[in-house]
Amino acid sequence: MTVHIHPEVAAALADGRPVVALESTVYSLLGLPAPANREAFDRCIEAIRSGGATPAVTAIVDGVATVGLDENGVTRMLGADQKVAERDLGVAVARRWPLGVTTVAASLALAARAGINVFATGGIGGVHRDAHLTGDVSGDLAAIAEHPVITVCAGAKAFLDLARTLEDLETRRVPVLGWRTDELPAFYTRTSGLRLPHRVDTASDVVAVFRAHNELSSGGVLVCAPPPEATALPRHEVDEAISAALAEAEASGVRGAGVTPLVLGRIGAATEGRSIPANVALVANNAAVAAEIAVAFRS
Ligand code: PSU
Ligand code: MN
């Protein structure tokens, strides 16, 4: 099964230049409402290019697993709402789905196949608060553990069970590194009250940990960067919005992959839209950190 790699990305990889892979679900209508999704996307691309790296967005386009989108692919991706998790990759390609946006897990699978080892997202999926009843644990965690890629995030999606998500990452032997912080960020908020096992202050330190991890063990490393201070939200406000949103999701019977879009929308409403600029700023910040790490990787 071939992965289509955009010529610009292929050239960068062949020359050993820095490349940052990006997922596509977060920029689609499932992740952010228009026009914030395009703003987030443009700011990520700009952050990666100005940081000296080449961006490579992953998606399923016309039934082809694609790493690096052209203009047409970007436009269609921004308007898409067909989510492709790692387990859906085979179905999406075999059945030639016109446009599937890839989750963290599916994107890591494609990035690893293309030979890209730095990846940026907003927040990873994780262990849901009711996982003891529903078993809902994102495939992102297994994918981060398995694929040899550095993932830069602002922690996990805020409405998950963050403590259990950290425990799960430990069980799967994923190194979790705080980017210039000792605490797990909670997506919209800079703090969660949960201490991280390790702190990193430089991109070269991240690369050294990743290389050593893949000599002695294997798989990915998770870098958690706090959202930028200017747009980050206070914890109590987010906590209240999340409780209300989860209650609504439960009452309306929404489960599984449908929960994220619904809850993100409700948090937006409850914070009078302030969750949106916070979300845009944090994905752009993660892209900038990832570019720095990708550059350190090649030097
Ligand atoms: N975080 C966000 N918005 C998103 C996602 C995460 O703020 O849209 C997406 C990512 O693509 C992530 C996916 O990989 O949700 C996880 O979905 P699930 O919980 O169904 O595995
Ligand atoms: Mn899930």
Side-chain angles (χ1 to χ4, degrees), residues 23 25-26 30-31 83 102-105 123 125 128 138-140 157 187 257 260 264 279:
E23 61 148 313
T25 302
V26 65
L30 298 176
K83 181 172 168 179
T102 46
T103 64
V104 167
H128 285 252
S138 175
D140 287 358
K157 292 187 275 191
F187 198 72
T260 296
L264 292 181
N279 200 337

Side-chain angles (χ1 to χ4, degrees), residues 176-196:
V176 181
L177 313 176
W179 177 258
R180 297 172 186 161
T181 181
D182 297 302
E183 214 177 299
L184 179 73
F187 198 72
Y188 302 114
T189 64
R190 292 174 61 84
T191 59
S192 65
L194 297 166
R195 268 191 88 78
L196 288 177

